[in-house]
Amino acid sequence: MLRNCLPEGIHIVQKMYGCELDDETGATDGYDQYGYNGADFISLDLRSTSYVAPVSQAVNTKQKNDGATAEYQKNYLTQTCLEWLKKYVDYGKISLERKVPPQVSLLQTDPSSPVVCHTTGFYPDKVKISWQKDGQDLHEDVNVGRNDGTFQKRAKLKVTPDERKKNQFTCVVEHKSGDPIHMILTEEKIRTNINNVPGIVAGLVVAALVLIAVVVGVVMVVKR
């Protein structure tokens, strides 16, 4: 639009166009604006279907683009642009309004450490975690961590093994995706580093055997 009207040298031409839709009132609007060297140069007035030239240098450009060009831009901003805007808003709702339930795990480093109720994988990011003792909310010996934006949250319960045997402790996770999740604390549900030791040892043994096999293979090749 601004070609053949710029003097020689380095200059900055800016263009901004788009459409707006108020989903509450249904009001729509559109804009097609140009800037030259940081100042307003020319813009489209949708009501009059003509361009507005705030500076004298833009009068020639206005005269060339009033008429068919202005009509075409108005139709695009008030029809095509709004249709695509509504589609993108709908696409966004599918993603932004989805609800994914949290995955809950009970973790413990060793038998003397606190039991951690760990939640992850949920969306949206707001989730509430609490501990109950025999069906009653428990506030003492409970440390609830903050959600750090990674869609993970945890609550630590400091309780002795004897207390766990005498009482029923439950981790309650509340999320918009559905009904509250009640994870009853039992020894079978706790995942600890100790439980993973056999697997780690087995993995190391397999790795050692593979290394031995490779060494033997290399020796055989050298002998040949």
Side-chain angles (χ1 to χ4, degrees), residues 83-102:
E83 291 174 0
W84 279 104
L85 178 60
K86 292 176 182 178
K87 289 181 181 180
Y88 285 127
V89 170
D90 290 337
Y91 296 156
K93 285 182 178 180
I94 296 175
S95 175
L96 297 175
E97 294 183 359
R98 73 185 190 280
K99 295 180 176 62
V100 181

Side-chain angles (χ1 to χ4, degrees), residues 5 15 18 44 48 50 58 73 125 154 175-176:
C5 66
K15 178 179 181 178
L44 176 63
S48 62
S50 62
Q73 286 298 108
D125 63 346
R154 56 180 55 194
H175 188 256
K176 291 183 177 180

Side-chain angles (χ1 to χ4, degrees), residues 146-218:
R146 295 182 179 180
N147 186 349
D148 58 1
T150 59
F151 298 94
Q152 298 185 40
K153 194 172 183 180
R154 56 180 55 194
K156 296 181 180 180
L157 173 66
K158 189 175 181 181
V159 60
T160 64
D162 290 338
E163 289 181 288
R164 295 211 303 258
K165 293 178 181 179
K166 296 177 182 179
N167 304 278
Q168 178 177 286
F169 293 91
T170 306
C171 176
V172 182
V173 179
E174 300 177 67
H175 188 256
K176 291 183 177 180
S177 58
D179 296 331
I181 300 174
H182 292 77
M183 179 73 76
I184 299 176
L185 176 58
T186 61
E187 296 297 330
E188 293 76 14
K189 293 181 181 179
I190 298 178
R191 297 170 57 186
T192 66
N193 292 340
I194 297 177
N195 293 337
N196 295 330
V197 169
I200 296 174
V201 173
L204 293 175
V205 171
V206 172
L209 292 175
V210 172
L211 180 60
I212 293 172
V214 172
V215 173
V216 172
V218 171

Side-chain angles (χ1 to χ4, degrees), residues 35-47:
Y36 175 62
N37 287 345
D40 293 338
F41 186 78
I42 196 172
S43 61
L44 176 63
D45 182 1
L46 292 180
R47 294 178 178 81

